[in-house]
Amino acid sequence: MNGAEFTAPSVEYSLILPLLVVFGAAVVGVLVEAFAPRRLRLPVQIALSLTALLTAFVVTVLVGLNLEERGDGRARGAITLEGAIAVDGPSIFLWGLVLLLSSASVLLFAERRLEGGVTAFAGQAAALPGTDAEREASSKGLEQTEVFPLMLFAVGGMMLFLASNDLLTLFVALEILSLPLYLLCGLARRRRLLSQEAALKYFMLGAFSSGFFVYGIALVYGYAGSMNFADISTAISGRIGGDALLLGGIALISVGLLFKVGAAPFHAWTPDVYQGAPTAVTAFMAACTKVAAFGALLRLFYVAFGGARVDWEPMIWIVAILTMVVGSVLALTQTDVKRMLAYSSIAHAGFILVGFVGAQQLGDLGPGQLSSLEAVMFYLVTYGFMTLGAFAVVTVVRDSGGEATDLSRWAGLGKESPMVAGVFAVFLLGMAGIPLTSGFIGKWAVFSSALSAGAWPLVVVGVLMSAVAAFFYIRVIVLMYFSDPVGEGPSVATPSVLTTIVIAVGFAATVALGIVPGPVLDLAAAAGEFIR
Amino acid sequence: MTVTMLTNALLVSTAGATEPPVVEPAAADGALSLLWLVIALPALGAAVLLLAGRRSDSWGHLLGTATVAGSFLVSLVSFIALLGRDEGDRSVGQHLWTWFEVGLDGRVFSADLALLYDPLSALFLLLITGVGALIHVYSIGYMALDPRRRRFFGYLNLFIAAMLVLVLSDGYLGLFLGWEGVGLASYLLIGFFQHKPSAAAAAKKAFVVNRVGDVGMVLALALIIATFGTVSFAGISAASSQVGEGTLTAIGFLLLLAACGKSAQVPLQSWLLDAMEGPTPVSALIHAATMVTAGVYLVVRSNFIFENAEIAQTGVVVVGTVTLLWGAVIGCAKDDIKKVLAGSTMSQIGYMMLAAGLGVAGYAYAIFHLLTHGFFKANMFLGAGSVMHGMNDEVDMRRYGALRAAMPITFATFALGYLAIIGFPGFSGFWSKDRIIETALAENWVVGVAALIGAGVTAFYMTRLMLMTFFGEKRWADEVHPHESPKVMTTPLIVLAALSVVGGVLILGNWLKDWLTPVVGKAEPHDLPVPVIVITIAITLVVAVGVALAWFLVGRREVPRTAPTDVSFVTRAARADLYGDAVNEGLFMRPGQRLTRGLGTFDHSVVDGTVRGTAGTFMASSSLFRRMQNGYVRSYALSLLAGALLVMVALLVVTIA
C-alpha cells in the first residue's frame, strides 16, 4: 500500500452523457449478442442502436442548450475529465451531426429487402469465401448482427475523437473509431474477397499511419512536456523561432489525421476501401469519419498548434491543392460509381481544407463574413447528407450480381427509373456545387472564408477544380439521361422504407440547405469558437 | 430643330412634384401573418400536380382550383385587414428567410426573401387570385377532354404562385424570381399543345423575346446592387434621391426594357400575337389579365426611381403611346378572333404604360385601367374561348356570324365586355380610359391626342369583331353546330361580365387614388386646357365615330369567307403585324444568325480546341495518375511515406526560409 495516493478525477458526467449513452449501448449490444436468441437479435440490435443514437442526439441538444459561457463570450462549454475532453459549441454541433448521420446509417445497415430478406453483411464472417461453411451459412439465412455494436463503438470513437483535448485521448479515440471500421469493411455478403482485401488494406495502412501519429505525439510531448492542448499552446506561444522537435511532431501528427480525412497524398486507401466495403459501411464511413476527423483536425490545429500557424499553413496549402487536384482529376477516368464517389470525397476533403485556412478568429472578421470553423462545419453538414444519400442510391441500382456499380450499367437509368435517376442527379449537382443545392452554399462558405483570409490562390485552384469535378458529375447525369442502356440495362430494386427514408432525408437536406441555408449557418455561428 | 421641338413637346414636366414616398413596412401581425399562405397554396398545388403524376389525374383539376380559391380567400381576408389599418400604416412586411449574406467592403449585402404587402400589392393579389380562380373554374370545362388536363392545372398553379411572388416581393431580387417564374409558366403554357409545331415555335419565340427584356432586368438588378447595396424597395426608396440622375436614368431605361419584354410593348411586342397558340384560358389569364401587366407593375412599383429620372419616364410615355396605336392598328386587320384581342391587349397595356409614364398624376390611373382591363379582357378572352368551344376550335371570324342566337350567354357577357372596352359611358372602361386620356391631355397634348385617336380605333376594331362574330349572316360550315358552353364555363363569364360593368366604382370619390397615395405619392391637381366635361364628350364622340365607321364598313356589307387580297397597303401592313417580325428578322435575326455562325466556327475551332485540349490533358494526366493506384498495399504505404516526407519538408522549409 505504498506509492502515490490515488485521487479520483473530477468528471462532469452530465456533459459527457452523449458519449456514455453511445458507449453504454455498444456494450449492451455485445451482451445482446451473447444472450439473446438468434432470431431476436437483429430486431433488438436495430432498435437498440437507433434508440441509443437518437437518445444521444436529444441529450446532445440538451447539453448544448446548457453550455456555460466562457471568457469573452465567443466560446461556450467546459473541459472535463481532467482536461481530456472539451465539450463546447463545435463539439456539440459535430456530435449532433455525427449522431444524425449515423442514425441514418443504421437504417442502411438494417435494410433487408434489397438482398431478399437478409442484410448486406456476410452471414458468417468467419466462413471462408467459397467454402461449404459459407454456403451453409447463407442457406440457413444467418446474420452477422455484431455490425450494430461495432458501429456504435465507431460512433463513440468519432465523438470522442472530435472532442479530445489532449493528445493521448486523441490517439485512443482514433483507434476506437478505426478498429470497428476495419472489421466492418470486410463483412460484405457479396464480392467477399474484394471486401476482405479492402479491410486488410485499410487496416495495414491505418496501422502504418497510426505509427506516424504516435511518433508525432512523442515529439510534441518532448517539445512541450505535456499532452494537453492548452499546455502545448502555451509552450508554442513562448518559443523563439522554429523548433525541429515541434515541427516534426506537427508533421507526423498531421499524417495520421490527414490519412483519416483522405487527403492527398494519404488518400491511396480511399478508392479501394470505399469500393470493397459494403455500401452501407462506405456511406457511414464517408459521411461520419470525415466529420469526426475534420473536427479533431480543426481543434488540434486551432487550439494546440494555433500559435504555430505561420509554420503549418503552407503545408496545409500544399496538401489542399494536391487533394483537390488528385480527387478531381482522378475521378475523371473512373468507371465504377463507388470509386468515383470515393475520389469525389477526396476532392471534397480538399475543398474543406481550403476553408480550414480561412480566418479563424471571430475578431478578424468583417460584418457578414464567416469564420473558417463555421464554414467547415456547414460544409460538413452539406457533404454528410449528400454523400449518405448518394451511396444509399447506389444500393438500390442492381443487377443479378448485386449492386450494379459499374458506370456503364447506369446508362439509361433516367428512362428506367426517373425518380431514382432524378434524385441521384440532384446529389451529383449538389456535389458539383450548382446553385440552389446545399453544395453551392457549402462551397461558397469555404471559399469566401479562405478569401477573407487572403488565400486567393487556393480559391482559384478550388474553383478550377470544381469545374473539373463538375465535368465528371455531369457526365454521369448525361449517362443516365442521354445514353441508351447497354444490354438489359439497369434495374432499380424497390428498397424498404428504411433506405427510402435515408434517400429522402439526404435529398431534402440537399435541396433545403440550398434554398434556406440560414438556420444551419446560424447554428454553426452560434456554436462559437473552440474553448481553450 | 424640329427634333428638339418634338423632344421638348414630349418631355413631361414633373417639376415641383413631391418626393416619392419611402417604403417603410411594419411587421405583419394578426391575419396578415398568414400572408405567405397566398403564395404557398398554389405553389403546393403545382408541386402536387406536377410530381404526383397520373395518380392525380382524376382530382388534379379540383385541387388546382381549390388552392387558388384558398389563395383568394386569404387575399380577401388580408385586404380587409389592411382596410382596417390607418393610412400611414398600410405597408406590411413579412420576412421569410435570408438566403445568404455576403460581406463586401464592410457592407453586408443580404439576399432576403421577404414579402411586402401594401395597397398596390393588395390590389394585385385580389386581381391575380380572383380572376385566376375564375379562369381555373372555366378551364375545368374548357380542358375537360384534354388528356393532359392535370398537367395544365399544374402549370396554371405554378404561374399563379410565380405571379404572386412577383407582386409580393419586398425587393427586386424576389421580383426577378417571380418574373422568371411567370416567364417559365408562360412558355410552358403557350407551348401546351406541343404536338402543333406552331405552338412550339410560338413558345420559343415568347421565350427568346422575353430574354431580351430579361437582360434589361438583370442589368438593372446588377446596377441597383452596385449603386444601393441593397435590393429592397425600402432601402432603395430611402436612398434614391441621393443618387445621381444619370445612374437612375440608366436603371430606369433598363427596367423599361424589361417591362417592354414582359408587357409586349414596342419594340419587344412581336411575341404576344403568336402566344395566342396557347389554350384560351391561358390567353385570358396570362396574356391579358395578369402577366403581361407585370411591366406596368414594375414601372409603378419603381416610382421612386422614375420620379428622379425624367428622361426614362419620358421613354415610358413614348413606348406606351407608340404601342397603344400599334396594337390598335393590328387589331383592325386581323381575322383571327384571338389575335384581334391580343392586338387590343397590347394597345390597352400601352394606355397603362402611358399613364405610368406620366408620373404621380398617372400611376393610380394606370393601375385602375389595369384592373378594369383585367376584368373585361379576361371576360372577352374567355368568351372567345366559349365561341371556339362551340365552333370546333375555329378562330377565323370570317367563318362565324350570327352567333348571338346560338350562344346567348356568351353573347351577352361578351357584349358587356365590349361596351366596357370601347368606353361606353358608365361601364368600367369608360371611367378608366377617360381618366388616362384626361391626364395625358393635361400633361402633354401630343400624347393626349394620340390616346384619343387610339380610343376611336379601339371602338372600330372591337365593333368589327362583334359584328363579324355575333351579327350578320351565318358563315359557318355545315358540319359545325354552334352551341352554348356548359355552366362551369359560363358562370365565370357572368361574374367577369358583372365586374366589367361595375369595375368603375373603384374610382368613386377618388377612392383608388387615395388608396394608392401611400405607395405612389400624392398627385397635384392638374390644369386642363378645357373643362373635363368637354373632354369626356370629345372621347365619347370619337368612340361613336369609330363604332359608326365599323358599322358602315363591316356591318352593312357582306363579309367574304376568305380574306380579300386586293387590300390597301395599310391593311397589308397591319395583317403582317406592322412588319414587326420582318424588322426583327432583318435587323436582328439575320445578322444574329451570321454572327452565330461566325461565333460557331470560332467556338468550334478555337474554344472547343482549347477545351478539348484541356480536357485531353486532364484525362491523360488522370490515366497517368491512375496507374499509381495499382492495388498493392506496399506502393500505397510508400506513397504515405513520401507524403509524410513532403509534409515534413514543407514545414521545415518554411521555418528555415
Side-chain angles (χ1 to χ4, degrees):
Chain A
M1 278 298 164
N2 51 8
E5 202 174 317
F6 177 77
T7 38
S10 76
V11 179
E12 277 118 332
Y13 287 105
S14 62
L15 283 178
I16 57 165
L17 202 54
L19 279 172
L20 298 179
V21 171
V22 174
F23 280 126
V27 173
V28 174
V30 174
L31 293 177
V32 169
E33 285 301 318
F35 295 109
R38 188 185 291 276
R39 76 195 154 73
L40 278 184
R41 275 181 219 162
L42 190 69
V44 170
Q45 291 288 18
I46 295 172
L48 177 70
S49 320
L50 213 52
T51 318
L53 292 173
L54 293 176
T55 312
F57 178 75
V58 173
V59 175
T60 304
V61 172
L62 292 178
V63 172
L65 292 176
N66 293 314
L67 287 184
E68 287 169 20
E69 278 200 4
R70 305 239 314 185
D72 53 3
R74 283 179 184 154
R76 291 183 307 144
I79 296 177
T80 179
L81 273 169
E82 299 290 308
I85 297 182
V87 182
D88 54 10
S91 298
I92 295 290
F93 185 94
L94 294 173
W95 278 2
L97 180 59
V98 166
L99 287 166
L100 284 181
L101 292 173
S102 52
S103 309
S105 306
V106 170
L107 301 180
L108 290 182
F109 277 42
E111 172 67 52
R112 288 205 289 170
R113 185 184 291 182
L114 291 171
E115 285 285 352
V118 283
T119 57
F121 296 98
Q124 197 172 20
L128 289 176
T131 58
D132 291 336
E134 188 195 38
R135 274 187 284 280
E136 194 190 333
S138 77
S139 62
K140 277 187 177 170
L142 296 185
E143 302 266 23
Q144 196 80 54
T145 45
E146 284 87 349
V147 293
F148 293 97
L150 280 174
M151 183 209 178
L152 286 179
F153 276 120
V155 172
M158 290 167 185
M159 293 167 66
L160 185 62
F161 196 40
L162 62 88
S164 300
N165 198 45
D166 71 36
L167 292 173
L168 219 52
T169 318
L170 194 68
F171 177 62
V172 173
L174 174 69
E175 295 305 317
I176 298 179
L177 87 88
S178 301
L179 288 170
L181 283 179
Y182 300 150
L183 274 177
L184 286 169
C185 287
L187 292 181
R189 178 176 290 272
R190 298 191 186 239
R191 300 194 189 98
R192 288 190 63 197
L193 285 175
L194 195 66
S195 166
Q196 293 182 350
E197 186 188 324
L200 201 63
K201 274 183 191 165
Y202 192 18
F203 170 64
M204 289 171 73
L205 294 170
F208 192 45
S209 79
S210 287
F212 285 103
F213 189 72
V214 182
Y215 201 162
I217 290 179
L219 292 182
V220 172
Y221 181 73
Y223 170 83
S226 168
M227 295 281 185
N228 191 282
F229 285 4
D231 297 341
I232 297 170
S233 171
T234 319
I236 289 176
S237 57
R239 76 180 171 146
I240 312 139
D243 192 311
L245 212 54
L246 171 71
L247 298 179
I250 293 180
L252 294 180
I253 290 181
S254 353
V255 172
L257 287 166
L258 293 172
F259 174 83
K260 273 290 152 206
V261 301
F266 315 103
H267 67 282
W269 61 277
T270 320
D272 292 19
V273 174
Y274 277 22
Q275 187 187 15
T279 307
V281 175
T282 311
F284 170 61
M285 211 160 48
C288 297
T289 313
K290 204 148 280 189
V291 174
F294 267 109
L297 190 70
L298 260 64
R299 183 183 298 280
L300 178 67
F301 275 76
Y302 286 173
V303 178
F305 301 148
R309 188 175 171 125
V310 281
D311 297 311
W312 55 254
E313 212 176 68
M315 182 267 283
I316 296 293
W317 275 51
I318 295 174
V319 174
I321 291 176
L322 262 180
T323 310
M324 289 186 289
V325 171
V326 166
S328 308
V329 171
L330 271 170
L332 288 175
T333 43
Q334 299 307 316
T335 52
D336 182 284
V337 66
K338 280 169 86 176
R339 280 183 92 83
M340 190 207 84
L341 288 175
Y343 280 107
S344 139
S345 95
I346 294 171
H348 282 295
F351 296 134
I352 299 177
L353 284 173
V354 172
F356 179 32
V357 298
Q360 76 188 72
Q361 298 288 344
L362 294 183
D364 299 345
L365 297 171
Q369 288 183 333
L370 294 168
S371 78
S372 62
L373 181 59
E374 280 170 61
V376 169
M377 289 200 298
F378 182 81
Y379 199 105
L380 287 170
V381 176
T382 66
Y383 165 80
F385 283 101
M386 277 188 303
T387 305
L388 207 57
F391 277 111
V393 171
V394 171
T395 65
V396 303
V397 179
R398 310 176 74 89
D399 56 21
S400 55
E403 288 162 9
T405 55
D406 198 280
L407 269 176
S408 63
R409 307 282 301 152
W410 286 57
L413 194 71
K415 288 193 196 86
E416 172 69 28
S417 175
M419 194 80 162
V420 169
V423 170
F424 198 64
V426 170
F427 288 133
L428 291 173
L429 291 176
M431 288 183 182
I434 305 295
L436 290 182
T437 64
S438 61
F440 168 70
I441 309 277
K443 277 220 175 75
W444 169 77
V446 290
F447 287 166
S448 68
S449 158
L451 211 54
S452 59
W456 63 266
L458 267 187
V459 176
V460 170
V461 176
V463 171
L464 285 178
M465 284 307 130
S466 300
V468 173
F471 175 75
F472 66 78
Y473 293 125
I474 308 288
R475 204 184 54 163
V476 176
I477 297 179
V478 170
L479 192 70
M480 290 193 298
Y481 282 97
F482 303 109
S483 301
D484 289 322
V486 185
E488 281 197 5
S491 68
V492 171
T494 315
S496 71
V497 67
L498 302 171
T499 303
T500 314
I501 290 177
V502 177
I503 297 177
V505 167
F507 178 78
T510 304
V511 175
L513 289 178
I515 300 172
V516 200
V520 178
L521 278 171
D522 291 347
L523 205 61
E529 291 183 351
F530 289 119
I531 54 170
R532 283 151 203 281
Chain B
M1 193 62 195
T2 43
V3 177
T4 15
M5 268 171 66
L6 195 64
T7 321
N8 284 337
L10 282 173
L11 252 174
V12 177
S13 164
T14 47
T18 45
E19 284 291 303
V22 172
V23 182
E24 283 175 318
D29 50 10
L32 289 176
S33 53
L34 288 177
L35 208 53
W36 58 275
L37 261 183
V38 180
I39 299 174
L41 282 173
L44 183 78
V48 171
L49 292 185
L50 294 178
L51 293 179
R54 292 190 200 99
R55 269 161 289 184
S56 56
D57 269 355
S58 55
W59 44 266
H61 53 286
L62 299 178
L63 177 77
T65 311
T67 54
V68 180
S71 204
F72 174 66
L73 278 183
V74 180
S75 307
L76 199 61
V77 171
S78 307
F79 180 68
I80 293 167
L82 202 64
L83 275 177
R85 294 168 83 106
D86 295 334
E87 187 176 314
D89 210 17
R90 282 194 188 138
S91 180
V92 180
Q94 186 172 34
H95 185 260
L96 298 180
W97 69 76
T98 300
W99 190 23
F100 61 80
E101 284 180 342
V102 194
L104 204 70
D105 307 334
R107 281 193 310 194
V108 181
F109 171 72
S110 172
D112 291 306
L113 290 180
L115 306 182
L116 170 70
Y117 187 67
D118 65 359
L120 180 61
S121 35
L123 293 175
F124 268 90
L125 246 57
L126 289 176
L127 176 76
I128 295 162
T129 57
V131 174
L134 288 172
I135 289 175
H136 273 72
V137 172
Y138 177 92
S139 305
I140 295 177
Y142 190 82
M143 300 296 283
L145 297 176
D146 196 302
R148 290 158 76 234
R149 177 167 72 166
R150 186 246 331 150
R151 186 186 292 260
F152 178 78
F153 274 83
Y155 291 157
L156 274 190
N157 267 210
L158 177 70
F159 166 76
I160 297 273
M163 188 73 205
L164 290 168
V165 169
L166 200 167
V167 298
L168 264 182
S169 269
D170 87 323
Y172 286 100
L173 193 66
L175 184 145
F176 181 58
L177 196 71
W179 191 267
E180 292 300 309
V182 292
L184 169 70
S186 158
Y187 167 78
L188 291 171
L189 285 164
I190 294 172
F192 188 75
F193 297 134
Q194 57 200 188
H195 50 87
K196 278 167 46 186
S198 57
K204 202 157 79 181
K205 185 172 177 185
F207 199 78
V208 171
V209 176
N210 265 293
R211 214 97 304 255
V212 178
D214 291 350
V215 169
M217 191 72 199
V218 173
L219 291 178
L221 196 55
L223 199 51
I224 283 171
I225 293 174
T227 312
F228 295 95
T230 175
V231 285
S232 76
F233 299 138
I236 298 167
S237 63
S240 64
S241 51
Q242 283 111 52
V243 174
E245 198 181 327
T247 315
L248 289 177
T249 305
I251 296 176
F253 271 113
L254 289 169
L255 291 176
L256 175 61
L257 179 64
C260 284
K262 195 62 79 193
S263 291
Q265 300 293 292
V266 177
L268 297 179
Q269 82 292 355
S270 64
W271 64 274
L272 186 65
L273 288 161
D274 294 41
M276 296 300 121
E277 289 288 344
T280 308
V282 171
S283 312
L285 177 62
I286 302 185
H287 305 119
T290 53
M291 184 190 83
V292 286
T293 59
V296 181
Y297 172 79
L298 183 69
V299 174
V300 175
R301 178 55 89 191
S302 311
N303 62 75
F304 38 78
I305 287 176
F306 283 100
E307 284 303 308
N308 293 313
E310 211 175 298
I311 303 176
Q313 220 170 19
T314 310
V316 177
V317 174
V318 171
V319 164
T321 314
V322 171
T323 311
L324 84 86
L325 293 172
W326 188 287
V329 170
I330 291 177
C332 294
K334 289 287 172 185
D335 291 332
D336 177 330
I337 183 168
K338 283 180 75 181
K339 296 212 165 163
V340 177
L341 289 175
S344 147
T345 302
M346 203 188 276
S347 159
Q348 298 301 313
I349 295 172
Y351 274 105
M352 300 171 209
M353 275 296 198
L354 160 61
L358 293 175
V360 182
Y363 291 133
Y365 299 141
I367 298 300
F368 181 36
H369 194 57
L370 193 155
L371 294 173
T372 58
H373 173 256
F375 301 145
F376 60 68
K377 191 51 74 59
N379 170 20
M380 285 191 287
F381 258 117
L382 294 185
S386 178
V387 170
M388 288 159 57
H389 192 73
M391 298 288 291
N392 295 359
D393 288 330
E394 177 61 70
V395 288
D396 190 347
M397 297 190 298
R398 295 187 184 277
R399 309 281 162 86
Y400 291 170
L403 287 175
R404 65 181 183 283
M407 25 188 96
I409 302 179
T410 306
F411 166 65
T413 53
F414 204 107
L416 294 175
Y418 159 76
L419 292 175
I421 193 176
I422 63 166
F424 191 82
F427 285 64
S428 62
F430 167 76
W431 302 107
S432 55
K433 202 183 288 178
D434 197 69
R435 294 291 178 116
I436 292 179
I437 297 172
E438 246 171 53
T439 317
L441 277 172
E443 297 282 342
N444 182 301
W445 66 268
V446 180
V447 290
V449 169
L452 190 61
I453 296 170
V457 184
T458 306
F460 172 77
Y461 67 72
M462 284 312 299
T463 312
R464 174 174 174 269
L465 184 151
M466 278 305 279
L467 292 172
M468 285 176 79
T469 305
F470 294 106
F471 296 89
E473 293 295 308
K474 83 173 188 114
R475 295 183 300 276
W476 63 75
D478 290 337
E479 70 272 17
V480 180
H481 304 287
H483 56 84
E484 187 55 278
S485 299
K487 277 217 172 60
V488 71
M489 286 167 68
T490 48
T491 314
L493 284 179
I494 294 168
V495 177
L496 284 168
L499 286 169
S500 317
V501 177
V502 302
V505 297
L506 289 173
I507 207 70
L508 271 186
N510 274 338
W511 177 82
L512 190 78
K513 215 171 165 191
D514 297 339
W515 173 252
L516 286 174
T517 301
V519 183
V520 298
K522 187 141 190 75
E524 284 166 24
H526 44 249
D527 306 316
L528 282 171
V530 283
V532 179
I533 186 71
V534 177
I535 296 177
T536 308
I537 291 170
I539 296 171
T540 314
L541 280 177
V542 170
V543 167
V545 169
V547 172
L549 214 57
W551 171 249
F552 288 115
L553 288 179
V554 182
R556 298 271 309 269
R557 299 185 190 176
E558 185 94 347
V559 179
R561 284 197 80 221
T562 46
T565 46
D566 54 336
V567 288
S568 69
F569 166 73
V570 183
T571 314
R572 263 205 302 277
R575 278 186 189 164
D577 305 349
L578 294 182
Y579 303 117
D581 285 339
V583 169
N584 282 350
E585 264 174 41
L587 269 184
F588 302 106
M589 197 185 96
R590 294 236 173 73
Q593 277 177 338
R594 270 196 291 279
L595 185 68
T596 321
R597 264 197 294 278
L599 283 176
T601 320
F602 178 78
D603 183 64
H604 204 67
S605 49
V606 182
V607 180
D608 277 10
T610 319
V611 170
R612 283 211 197 89
T614 319
T617 316
F618 275 116
M619 281 294 192
S621 49
S622 182
S623 314
L624 196 70
F625 278 135
R626 208 179 152 188
R627 259 177 247 154
M628 291 162 69
Q629 192 76 19
N630 55 13
Y632 292 117
V633 177
R634 55 172 189 269
S635 15
Y636 294 178
L638 199 63
S639 73
L640 210 109
L641 185 66
L645 280 175
L646 174 86
V647 167
M648 189 88 93
V649 168
L651 272 165
L652 290 176
V653 163
V654 173
T655 325
I656 295 161

